[in-house]
């Protein structure tokens, strides 16, 4: 079987969804590390220098565009798999099987994924577009002039509804990661009693709780400190 034919099968698509998902998990860790500097009391210096580096380094920018492609591939394949799974079972259960055949998390993946996709679009419009194509005030540190994205972020999170949207987005991210991380591990053959405890711990407590909570804390912290 050719590679092109393999990746048109359900297992091939699941492998691609898992691989792109792992890449996105790595991005989340790096992105969170930079965003936490928004809560530093340094007038935005750490965050603005981080944003300037990420926004102008050629290698980082290449990876950033690759990231956007990966997000689209991940979403497209996930939608395809959902449609294919539903088509394979055209007659719905008279009684929903519940946890006997799937976890609650897995049954909400389509809804949570859709919320997450909307959140990503809003997030890119608010910050990525503004940084690269909009107008930002400037800030100068040690003679270097950079865009003041820090001020733009703080201004954005004066709006309580955007704060609420970001918290909802992180709840969706949490549910998505709890199921997605474990499912990807199973797809790649790591479903073994020897590793399941560690996989469940990392999927639930690190990617499912810690990372989304820390992301959600940032807009809440900014809003509260501007009341």
């Amino acid at each position: 079987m050719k590679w092109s034919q393999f990746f048109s099968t359900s297992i091939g698509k699941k492998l691609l969804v898992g691989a792109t998902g792992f890449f996105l998990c790595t991005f989340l860790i790096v992105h969170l590390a930079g965003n936490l500097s928004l809560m530093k009391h340094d007038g935005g210096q750490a965050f603005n220098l981080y944003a300037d580096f990420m926004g102008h380094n050629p290698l980082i920018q290449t990876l950033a565009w690759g990231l956007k492609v990966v997000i689209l591939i991940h979403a497209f394949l996930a939608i395809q798999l959902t449609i294919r799974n539903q088509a394979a079972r055209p007659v719905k259960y008279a009684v929903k099987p519940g946890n006997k055949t799937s976890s609650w998390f897995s049954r909400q993946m389509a809804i949570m994924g859709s919320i997450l996709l909307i959140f990503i679009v809003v997030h890119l419009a608010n910050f990525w577009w503004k940084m690269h194509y909009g107008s930002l005030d400037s800030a100068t540190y040690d003679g270097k002039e950079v865009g003041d994205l820090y001020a733009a972020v703080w201004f954005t999170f004066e709006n309580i509804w955007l704060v609420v949207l970001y918290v909802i987005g992180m709840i969706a991210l949490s549910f998505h990661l709890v199921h997605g991380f474990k499912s990807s591990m199973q797809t790649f053959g790591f479903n073994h009693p020897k590793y399941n405890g560690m996989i469940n711990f990392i999927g639930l407590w690190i990617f499912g709780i810690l990372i989304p909570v820390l992301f959600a804390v940032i807009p809440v912290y900014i809003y509260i400190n501007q009341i």
Side-chain angles (χ1 to χ4, degrees):
M1 181 183 291
K2 296 180 180 179
W3 282 108
S4 58
Q5 293 175 319
F6 173 71
F7 286 117
S8 66
T9 65
S10 292
I11 186 61
K13 291 179 187 296
K14 286 180 180 180
L15 286 171
L16 281 175
V17 169
T20 53
F22 284 138
F23 179 78
L24 293 174
C25 285
T26 303
F27 163 76
L28 284 176
I29 295 172
V30 175
H31 194 46
L32 176 62
N35 282 8
L36 287 174
S37 62
L38 281 163
M39 297 189 291
K40 290 187 68 173
H41 298 283
D42 62 353
Q45 180 174 352
F47 179 75
N48 282 335
L49 291 176
Y50 154 79
D52 182 72
F53 172 77
M54 297 293 284
H56 293 93
N57 182 280
L59 177 59
I60 298 297
Q61 281 304 292
T62 301
L63 290 173
W65 280 106
L67 173 68
K68 294 173 184 61
V69 173
V70 166
I71 290 173
L72 291 175
I73 292 173
H74 185 82
F76 178 73
L77 291 176
I79 292 170
Q80 273 196 328
L81 285 171
T82 299
I83 294 173
R84 181 174 292 187
N85 289 339
Q86 290 178 344
R89 190 185 297 131
V91 180
K92 294 184 177 179
Y93 291 112
V95 178
K96 292 184 178 180
N99 290 336
K100 293 181 180 179
T101 60
S102 62
S103 70
W104 185 88
F105 292 105
S106 67
R107 298 195 301 277
Q108 312 307 317
M109 283 294 279
I111 295 174
M112 294 302 171
S114 299
I115 293 173
L116 196 53
L117 196 58
I118 293 170
F119 163 77
I120 291 171
V121 171
V122 173
H123 179 70
L124 290 175
N126 278 332
F127 303 120
W128 177 82
W129 182 269
K130 188 177 294 184
M131 179 177 179
H132 290 279
Y133 304 107
S135 57
L136 287 176
D137 293 333
S138 60
T140 304
Y141 307 107
D142 298 325
K144 181 178 182 179
E145 186 174 310
V146 299
D148 195 357
L149 186 60
Y150 174 87
V153 173
W154 274 69
F155 175 77
T156 297
F157 289 135
E158 287 181 351
N159 186 333
I160 183 61
W161 296 113
L162 280 177
V163 174
V164 171
L165 173 63
Y166 269 69
V167 172
I168 292 173
M170 291 305 98
I171 292 173
L173 176 65
S174 174
F175 283 107
H176 196 76
L177 289 175
V178 166
H179 172 72
F181 185 85
K182 183 177 179 179
S183 179
S184 295
M185 285 294 185
Q186 290 177 341
T187 299
F188 283 98
F190 293 105
N191 187 18
H192 189 280
K194 183 178 180 180
Y195 310 114
N196 284 346
M198 181 179 66
I199 290 171
N200 291 335
F201 177 84
I202 295 174
L204 175 61
W205 293 103
I206 296 180
F207 285 103
I209 295 178
L210 180 62
I211 290 177
V213 166
L214 288 176
F215 269 119
V217 162
I218 295 170
V220 173
Y221 172 88
I222 292 174
Y223 177 79
I224 291 175
N225 278 271
Q226 295 185 96
I227 296 176

